[in-house]
Amino acid sequence: LQALGNGICVTYGPQAASVMAARADFPVLAANFFMDGKPLMPNFLPSYSFMLNEQISLKVSGQAPYSPRIYNLFGLKVPHFIDCAREWAQKLDEQVGPLVMVNHLGLPEDRELAAAVPEIDVIISGHSHSLLPEGEFVNGVLIAQTGQYAEYLGRVDLEIDARTGQVLSKSARLMGIPADQALDPMVEEAIRQAEEEARLVLAQPIVELPETLKADFFAESALGNFTADVLRRRMDAEIGLVSSGLLHKDLEAGLLTLGQLNETCFSTANPMLSLLSGRQVREGLEKGLMEEHVRAQHKSFRGSPVGIPQVSGLRVVWDPSAPDGEKIKELWVGENQLEEERLYRVAHTDAECEGGGAFLNIEANQVLRTEVPTIVREALEEDLKRRVPPLSELQGRWVKV
């Protein structure tokens, strides 16, 4: 069995994760996709029990990442992870035996959970990629986590009274993977089938590009400006902004396939629309031009620097040699100079306002719309199928003085 992680349910929504769970031939646990014992989403289980003898069960429950703000975008309101754990600990108390929770919450949350719900015997933890060589005890609850990238297997040993089901002792340890460990043929075959399925999908043609759309982390680029245009049109905005680091390579002239587009833009960022003041736009662009920000490396950008902002609907007159915060000399929205106090409809993605690569400072009440489960690559694909703009439309938005 497994607990549901964040790769699908947070990025593409719990509906997509439900489809994935339906394909699995093993139980997928997500107790926080239940409310008052009733399922919020199909194809998940809140718990699963293994009979150890005629009287004793090993009870296993588990939770998906606790991301209420993101789930709310998909119309799903989930219980707090502590409330959820308490509910299922009480329900499972009818069965005799130890309770194990397999969680994709993260070590800080699991520590908080252990402190609040001592009825849990063991928490198999994930999400934070923490390495606990011998586990750790919080309020008598053993928390185990094995790091990342299958560097270790984890083993938890429980000594259980065969008559009462009471846990007499518990311990956790790591086991290294031998370098000569043979690959599992069933896993290899499953990977081969998945890769073949993906290969057929990625081979689908999108459009014939007459010219190469170049990407550049550190300068205005045709592909960056086009992406900002796509966001602005899609969200019906006056201004479009996007980080260069979401675009990893050029789109070469010739037949463009879905696989090539995915290699260029595999970000899971979602289109967003916010109502921002002119001052916020200017301050965001100034931050986006800071050398420290431009060259920063963050995990969410998958090896690329954050890069400069690429823009749509704007003309930026700037001095690269000026001090940070004073580089922009003029800022035009269409044919008019930007007004500091005016509110503008600004299209962007969550990458520009959340996480380590953010340059926009946006209050929650300023976000008008987040389009889910659409990701940037899908928005680019839809736009390219309608029209490929000439390069003359995709340059001259940054003017150096």
Side-chain angles (χ1 to χ4, degrees):
L1 55 78
Q2 75 167 71
L4 181 65
N6 58 287
I8 294 178
C9 73
V10 171
T11 303
Y12 303 103
Q15 297 91 332
S18 182
V19 175
M20 179 276 297
R23 296 180 62 178
D25 56 2
F26 49 82
V28 180
L29 302 180
N32 49 346
F33 283 7
F34 290 72
M35 186 74 80
D36 298 326
K38 298 178 182 179
L40 301 174
M41 295 295 302
N43 304 322
F44 299 106
L45 292 177
S47 65
Y48 194 85
S49 295
F50 300 89
M51 295 303 298
L52 301 181
N53 62 24
E54 293 182 355
Q55 294 83 31
I56 309 302
S57 298
L58 177 66
K59 304 168 291 186
V60 184
S61 185
Q63 297 192 48
Y66 183 63
S67 304
R69 185 193 68 80
I70 295 175
Y71 295 149
N72 284 345
L73 297 175
F74 296 92
L76 190 68
K77 296 187 182 300
V78 300
H80 190 275
F81 59 90
I82 290 178
D83 296 333
C84 178
R86 283 200 181 110
E87 176 186 358
W88 290 100
Q90 291 171 2
K91 288 180 179 294
L92 294 171
D93 191 51
E94 299 171 359
Q95 304 175 35
V96 177
L99 172 60
V100 175
M101 294 211 74
V102 182
N103 290 338
H104 206 89
L105 296 172
L107 185 56
E109 288 81 359
D110 281 324
R111 286 169 173 158
E112 187 178 347
L113 182 58
V117 190
E119 297 90 340
I120 302 169
D121 292 288
V122 178
I123 296 175
I124 307 297
S125 183
H127 193 50
S128 57
H129 299 200
S130 307
L131 188 64
L132 304 177
E134 296 180 343
E136 72 175 43
F137 284 88
V138 175
N139 198 23
V141 179
L142 174 61
I143 303 175
Q145 196 176 150
T146 59
Q148 58 189 354
Y149 304 131
E151 294 169 334
Y152 296 95
L153 290 174
R155 172 166 174 153
V156 173
D157 289 297
L158 299 179
E159 183 183 0
I160 304 169
D161 188 306
R163 295 168 299 172
T164 66
Q166 181 182 359
V167 177
L168 305 176
S169 67
K170 46 192 170 184
S171 62
R173 61 187 175 95
L174 300 178
M175 299 184 294
I177 310 297
D180 59 353
Q181 176 68 44
L183 299 176
D184 185 295
M186 290 182 63
V187 173
E188 287 296 291
E189 176 59 19
I191 293 173
R192 187 199 66 76
Q193 292 180 13
E195 287 179 340
E196 176 62 18
E197 183 179 342
R199 186 187 67 78
L200 294 174
V201 171
L202 294 175
Q204 297 176 16
I206 296 175
V207 71
E208 188 81 25
L209 290 179
E211 302 170 286
T212 295
L213 298 181
K214 287 191 170 295
D216 195 321
F217 300 132
F218 307 118
E220 179 182 21
S221 71
L223 181 57
N225 284 344
F226 174 64
T227 304
D229 285 347
V230 169
L231 292 171
R232 182 167 66 90
R233 284 192 292 266
R234 188 179 190 93
M235 308 306 283
D236 189 23
E238 299 160 275
I239 296 170
L241 301 173
V242 67
S243 295
S244 301
L246 300 183
L247 306 165
H248 297 265
K249 57 190 297 188
D250 301 345
L251 290 181
E252 299 287 348
L255 180 62
L256 176 67
T257 66
L258 179 60
Q260 291 167 330
L261 180 58
N262 189 65
E263 289 177 359
T264 291
C265 182
F266 48 81
S267 168
T268 57
N270 306 113
M272 297 180 69
L273 177 68
S274 298
L275 194 62
L276 305 182
S277 70
R279 179 179 293 105
Q280 285 176 290
V281 173
R282 179 189 292 275
E283 290 175 351
L285 289 174
E286 288 282 12
K287 179 178 178 180
L289 292 172
M290 293 180 179
E291 187 75 7
E292 180 182 8
H293 178 87
V294 171
R295 298 191 178 275
Q297 297 276 344
H298 293 282
K299 184 171 66 174
S300 61
F301 284 75
R302 299 297 190 265
S304 295
V306 173
I308 70 165
Q310 304 285 342
V311 305
S312 175
L314 291 177
R315 183 162 59 90
V316 187
V317 181
W318 70 302
D319 180 359
S321 63
D324 286 343
E326 301 176 15
K327 295 184 183 298
I328 297 176
K329 303 306 178 184
E330 294 180 20
L331 195 53
W332 296 75
V333 183
E335 299 300 319
N336 302 304
Q337 282 200 338
L338 177 130
E339 300 174 38
E340 296 273 308
E341 302 306 319
R342 180 183 161 182
L343 296 178
Y344 294 90
R345 292 167 61 86
V346 181
H348 54 95
T349 77
D350 45 299
E352 288 78 51
C353 63
E354 299 176 6
F359 59 84
L360 292 174
N361 184 17
I362 299 177
E363 301 294 332
N365 62 358
Q366 292 183 299
V367 177
L368 301 180
R369 181 160 64 96
T370 300
E371 185 178 326
V372 291
T374 304
I375 58 176
V376 180
R377 188 210 71 220
E378 293 168 334
L380 288 172
E381 178 186 355
E382 290 181 21
D383 213 88
L384 284 167
K385 286 179 177 178
R386 286 192 290 265
R387 175 179 178 266
V388 179
L391 291 183
S392 59
E393 292 184 12
L394 303 174
Q395 55 193 9
R397 302 177 187 182
W398 288 86
V399 181
K400 292 183 181 181
V401 295

